[in-house]
Amino acid sequence: MLTFGRARALEVQIDQFLDLIGKGAMVFKEGCRAYLSGDREEFERHLAAICDLEGRADIIRKDSEKILYRYSLIPESRGDVLGLLENLDNVIDSCKHTLNQFNVQKPNFPEEFNEGILELTNQSVESIISVVGASRGFFENTRSIQDHINKVDFHENEADHLSLKLQGRVFEMDLRLSHKMHLSFFIQRVERLSDLAEIVAERLAIASIKRTI
Amino acid sequence: MFFVFLLSGLFLGWSLGANDAANVYGTAVGTRMIKFRTAAIACSVFVLIGAVVGGAGASHTLGKLGAVNALAGSFTVALAAGLTVTWMTQLKLPVSTSQAIVGAIIGWNLFTGSLTNYNSLSKIVSSWILCPLLSAGFAMILLKLTEATLSRVRLHILALDYLTRMGLFIVGAFASYSLGANNIANVMGVFVPSVPFGDLDVFGLFTLNGAQQLFALGGLAIGVGVFTFSKKVMLTVGNDLFKLSPIAALIVVLAQAIVLFLFSSEQLENLLVRHGLPSIPLVPVSSSQAVIGAVIGIGLMKGGRNIRFSVLGRISSGWISTPLISGVVSFVLLFIVQNVFSQRVYQPIRYRADNAVIGKLKAEGLPIEGFDGLVNQTHESAAAFQEALRPKLDAVTLERALQLSRLRPLKVDLNKVEDQRDLHWLSEARFKAIEGLAGRDFEYTWQMADALSQRTEEWKKKPIAKENKLYNKKLRAQLDYLARTFERR
């Protein structure tokens, strides 16, 4: 039988999970900044931090899912919540993977791209932070979900637009095609984070309609 | 023979558990908030406690089946009601067990030439309409209130889930308790006078008397019914009719509880009247009908599009057919039990208007001219008595004459009521009055009532008024108990 204490503990656990996703997004942004500025030491510190955050998020997610199933909690919304946790986990997973690829493939961005890449990173990270806010709103049943979802939409659109602009500039430059393809790949990876955030937001929009009595 | 007869009581208990558990935990199981196993265990345990602890108070009354005056008759009537409810359960329909019993008793009345109290018939019909309407109304109000509250109070989805689950569990437990306490008299009440069990000491913790052991047995039968057969009806209530959310499931059981409490609680009416407050009119309510009404209420608030009207139609037709089928089955079974198995399914009740009855009618200011030539004639049944007198008397006099002329020879034997002294159900003054009549014989029940009221004011009926209703009802129940106990067979 589920006790109130255990239900409360799970509440805290889910809250921690959301914290980790939000932190992960910010660490990702700082990691990108360090990479572009050539500060290897800082970059590696952020890479290690995001690996740690992703690992912890994974453990919490699996544990929460187990408790949700074991005690048959929130039968009406369980599917939605499990999907939400998994999709949010994909977001931090993708952040970690992208930083790892920066580390492994070491893309060589011409300096004039730094500002654009940082802006793109910023838009993607903002969309992740907004979707974390929307998720909290969903769990705590506040009316703020829609505001957060609107923000996610806005930042995803901005990221889309920026990504296309940056890729256009890359292919206009006098570089080898393989180099152009390489840079384009990284631009798309960073932009992809906002797409993942948008997927979560879309699920939340439907799940919150289902949450009405 | 007692144990053979008891089997039909246990069968009725089993069918009650299989059907009525749905009113208690149907929405909780249907919305997957409480597992069927958990619900079945909780329901069985609380039904058992209700039957043994709460049902003991009802042992003085025989339940609805008490109207049937022979054990083989009770056996058959209970069997007919049980069969009908089982059939309805198989069709996954929530029906009212009480109404099945009333239907079966009407079958017995027709078979034996007894008169049917049309009051109970009209109660059934109005409960099909009034009760679901009231319940739907309450569910709608509660839904609006809950929506408004939840939009203000920020509750985490898990906290809300926990509270809803606990609410469903606790309300279900209370409802199971009252299910056991209120219905055990119908299931086992008729067998109480002939119970062969002695007192039973349970591990030195408490002692169960014969009636309580019988009620525990009935409670167990209800519990077995819940475990073995109730899941389908639960899913009809909680899922098939309208897909409820967990909070809506809680609102449904709360609306049901409120309707049952407000509109059927004589204690509440009495309390309000005593404090000079306007009382709520009592209407016939049944938990099956209240639950369905509340589900429909929620469905309508949600736009009504998702209500499965075919399921609703099946349920409603089940309500109408339950008493009808039960009545027919009872009639046929009584015929078989009497003529094939040679069992006595009723004690003939004779009617005779002798001079004492005529004198009493005269004293009450009723016309007695119509009795010319019929005084001291004995009639074999209420129907025969009514037929002989109907052309000569007006309806009011006929009704009263019927009440007064029922022959029921009594002998006041103090040994038979000795155990009541410790139970304090009868007050000291009332008990003393009974002692004063020790050894006296009476032909009619009203003669004993008159003799008792001459001995003490406490046995006098209070004038008909709302505030005296409960008092008079208890007085009637005690007089009826005495008549049953002192009856000369």
Side-chain angles (χ1 to χ4, degrees):
Chain A
M1 188 83 187
L2 180 86
T3 59
F4 188 70
R6 200 170 278 155
R8 183 85 191 98
L10 183 59
E11 250 180 74
V12 173
Q13 209 167 303
I14 289 177
D15 225 33
Q16 282 171 345
F17 175 79
L18 294 175
D19 285 346
L20 292 174
I21 308 293
K23 271 186 204 163
M26 286 185 283
V27 169
F28 172 77
K29 187 163 105 179
E30 291 311 307
C32 286
R33 193 194 304 279
Y35 179 83
L36 293 171
S37 65
D39 188 341
R40 189 74 201 161
E41 202 179 319
E42 267 300 282
F43 173 76
E44 277 172 7
R45 190 171 68 84
H46 290 305
L47 181 60
I50 203 164
C51 287
D52 174 55
L53 290 171
E54 195 272 338
R56 278 159 57 196
D58 225 24
I59 292 169
I60 293 181
R61 175 182 62 82
K62 283 180 189 158
D63 197 40
S64 306
E65 286 179 355
K66 241 187 262 169
I67 295 175
L68 282 172
Y69 266 118
R70 186 182 303 150
Y71 297 105
S72 322
L73 300 181
I74 42 171
E76 287 287 298
S77 319
R78 188 160 58 227
D80 293 328
V81 170
L82 293 177
L84 176 66
L85 295 181
E86 270 158 30
N87 279 292
L88 281 170
D89 196 43
N90 284 347
V91 175
I92 193 169
D93 215 28
S94 190
C95 288
K96 182 189 93 171
H97 189 68
T98 308
L99 273 198
N100 262 327
Q101 291 308 307
F102 271 108
N103 187 35
V104 173
Q105 299 185 24
K106 297 189 177 62
N108 184 12
F109 281 102
E111 207 169 324
E112 63 262 40
F113 274 86
N114 281 5
E115 199 185 328
I117 299 287
L118 277 177
E119 180 53 24
L120 175 62
T121 312
N122 194 41
Q123 292 298 346
S124 285
V125 166
E126 281 303 317
S127 68
I128 297 172
I129 288 169
S130 296
V131 91
V132 168
S135 306
R136 266 192 234 283
F138 171 76
F139 284 113
E140 282 162 17
N141 196 24
T142 59
R143 289 182 188 167
S144 58
I145 303 177
Q146 198 49 49
D147 295 339
H148 288 295
I149 289 175
N150 291 342
K151 279 186 192 164
V152 177
D153 275 347
F154 171 78
H155 292 299
E156 195 274 336
N157 274 335
E158 285 302 297
D160 244 10
H161 173 72
L162 261 174
S163 161
L164 282 176
K165 210 164 98 181
L166 284 171
Q167 285 179 73
R169 272 174 61 199
V170 164
F171 281 96
E172 278 167 9
M173 285 184 81
D174 186 22
L175 296 168
R176 273 180 292 118
L177 181 61
S178 59
H179 193 182
K180 287 178 187 173
M181 300 286 280
H182 198 209
L183 297 183
S184 167
F185 167 76
F186 276 90
I187 291 167
Q188 284 175 45
R189 275 222 69 101
V190 175
E191 186 236 318
R192 167 104 182 112
L193 294 176
S194 68
D195 291 337
L196 291 175
E198 195 189 30
I199 291 172
V200 179
E202 278 168 4
R203 288 187 79 111
L204 273 174
I206 295 180
S208 63
I209 294 170
K210 274 169 66 184
R211 258 204 82 183
T212 52
I213 300 168
Chain B
M1 207 60 199
F2 172 80
F3 287 99
V4 176
F5 288 143
L6 189 64
L7 277 180
S8 83
L10 293 176
F11 174 62
L12 181 62
W14 175 84
S15 68
L16 178 97
N19 202 289
D20 284 29
N23 306 331
V24 175
Y25 277 117
T27 58
V29 172
T31 51
R32 293 176 293 156
M33 285 300 270
I34 297 179
K35 283 185 200 146
F36 173 72
R37 237 172 74 91
T38 314
I41 292 172
C43 187
S44 308
V45 168
F46 285 100
V47 159
L48 190 63
I49 297 174
V52 178
V53 181
S59 68
H60 306 290
T61 60
L62 283 181
K64 293 187 178 66
L65 285 171
V68 180
N69 61 9
L71 206 52
S74 308
F75 162 85
T76 316
V77 168
L79 185 66
L83 283 172
T84 312
V85 175
T86 305
W87 188 25
M88 292 298 149
T89 308
Q90 227 162 8
L91 297 174
K92 305 185 203 171
L93 300 179
V95 294
S96 163
T97 310
S98 293
Q99 294 184 2
I101 295 171
V102 172
I105 291 174
I106 292 173
W108 182 84
N109 285 345
L110 291 174
F111 187 78
T112 59
S114 307
L115 294 177
T116 294
N117 178 2
Y118 286 96
N119 203 12
S120 57
L121 209 63
S122 65
K123 267 186 183 175
I124 292 184
V125 176
S126 51
S127 85
W128 292 336
I129 302 155
L130 259 180
C131 179
L133 282 180
L134 283 169
S135 189
F138 271 94
M140 287 169 163
I141 295 167
L142 282 176
L143 182 73
K144 275 280 151 210
L145 283 176
T146 315
E147 276 174 347
T149 312
L150 286 180
S151 69
R152 279 185 182 77
V153 184
R154 279 172 52 181
L155 267 179
H156 196 278
I157 190 170
L158 288 163
L160 188 63
D161 179 77
Y162 180 81
L163 293 174
T164 310
R165 208 174 285 259
M166 282 298 125
L168 281 166
F169 187 84
I170 292 167
V171 176
F174 274 114
S176 303
Y177 178 90
S178 43
L179 179 71
N182 297 336
N183 283 289
I184 196 69
N186 279 327
V187 174
M188 286 285 138
V190 280
F191 305 105
V192 172
S194 35
V195 63
F197 309 134
D199 284 1
L200 180 74
D201 188 52
V202 184
F203 307 118
L205 294 172
F206 51 89
T207 313
L208 292 179
N209 62 32
Q212 283 175 322
Q213 288 171 55
L214 201 63
F215 287 175
L217 215 58
L220 278 178
I222 299 176
V224 173
V226 177
F227 258 96
T228 50
F229 227 64
S230 67
K231 197 170 180 181
K232 285 180 183 171
V233 189
M234 282 194 184
L235 292 178
T236 301
V237 172
N239 212 7
D240 289 356
L241 179 58
F242 178 78
K243 206 161 165 32
L244 289 169
S245 71
I247 299 175
L250 180 60
I251 291 172
V252 166
V253 285
L254 280 177
Q256 173 208 17
I258 292 173
V259 167
L260 289 186
F261 178 68
L262 288 186
F263 296 94
S264 71
S265 169
E266 285 185 350
Q267 277 84 356
L268 178 73
E269 191 195 32
N270 218 30
L271 189 84
L272 291 174
V273 170
R274 224 182 304 139
H275 289 87
L277 296 166
S279 70
I280 299 159
L282 295 185
V283 295
V285 288
S286 143
S287 55
S288 309
Q289 272 112 34
V291 159
I292 298 303
V295 174
I296 297 297
I298 300 265
L300 289 175
M301 284 299 267
K302 294 280 159 199
R305 285 182 301 278
N306 295 328
I307 300 174
R308 297 217 191 98
F309 286 98
S310 59
V311 179
L312 180 63
R314 281 201 313 125
I315 293 173
S316 313
S317 63
W319 290 350
I320 298 168
S321 53
T322 297
L324 288 177
I325 293 171
S326 192
V328 173
V329 172
S330 166
F331 192 93
V332 174
L333 283 181
L334 284 165
F335 183 82
I336 296 170
V337 170
Q338 179 181 274
N339 298 313
V340 179
F341 296 100
S342 310
Q343 294 293 321
R344 194 173 191 186
V345 292
Y346 66 99
Q347 304 266 8
I349 299 170
R350 295 193 176 84
Y351 286 76
R352 188 174 68 213
D354 63 6
N355 288 326
V357 173
I358 306 291
K360 178 89 174 159
L361 283 169
K362 202 173 169 188
E364 288 179 8
L366 291 164
I368 51 162
E369 292 76 28
F371 285 96
D372 294 342
L374 289 168
V375 180
N376 280 337
Q377 265 189 22
T378 306
H379 301 270
E380 287 305 307
S381 70
F385 181 78
Q386 203 178 31
E387 207 160 294
L389 285 169
R390 198 196 301 268
K392 300 177 179 178
L393 298 178
D394 62 280
V396 180
T397 316
L398 181 62
E399 173 83 30
R400 189 67 185 135
L402 258 171
Q403 287 168 0
L404 295 176
S405 308
R406 181 184 165 174
L407 281 169
R408 203 171 183 184
L410 309 170
K411 183 173 191 69
V412 179
D413 178 355
L414 290 180
N415 291 330
K416 289 183 177 170
V417 288
E418 203 45 54
D419 57 335
Q420 286 298 331
R421 192 186 277 280
D422 303 331
L423 294 174
H424 304 293
W425 186 52
L426 291 160
S427 69
E428 201 47 46
R430 285 187 187 172
F431 211 93
K432 278 219 168 75
I434 300 170
E435 281 176 336
L437 297 181
R440 291 256 314 256
D441 290 309
F442 298 100
E443 282 296 299
Y444 302 99
T445 315
W446 59 267
Q447 287 178 321
M448 181 182 70
D450 282 359
L452 284 170
S453 61
Q454 275 163 17
R455 295 205 154 253
T456 169
E457 284 291 311
E458 283 224 12
W459 275 113
K460 274 208 174 101
K461 243 169 85 175
K462 288 192 179 174
I464 295 171
K466 259 186 183 170
E467 61 270 25
N468 296 336
K469 211 166 137 187
L470 213 63
Y471 179 90
N472 285 339
K473 191 179 173 186
K474 192 173 177 193
L475 191 78
R476 264 202 311 278
Q478 294 189 342
L479 281 170
D480 191 47
Y481 164 77
L482 291 180
R484 259 188 286 115
T485 314
F486 295 146
E487 200 163 359
R488 277 186 279 143
R489 303 264 173 191

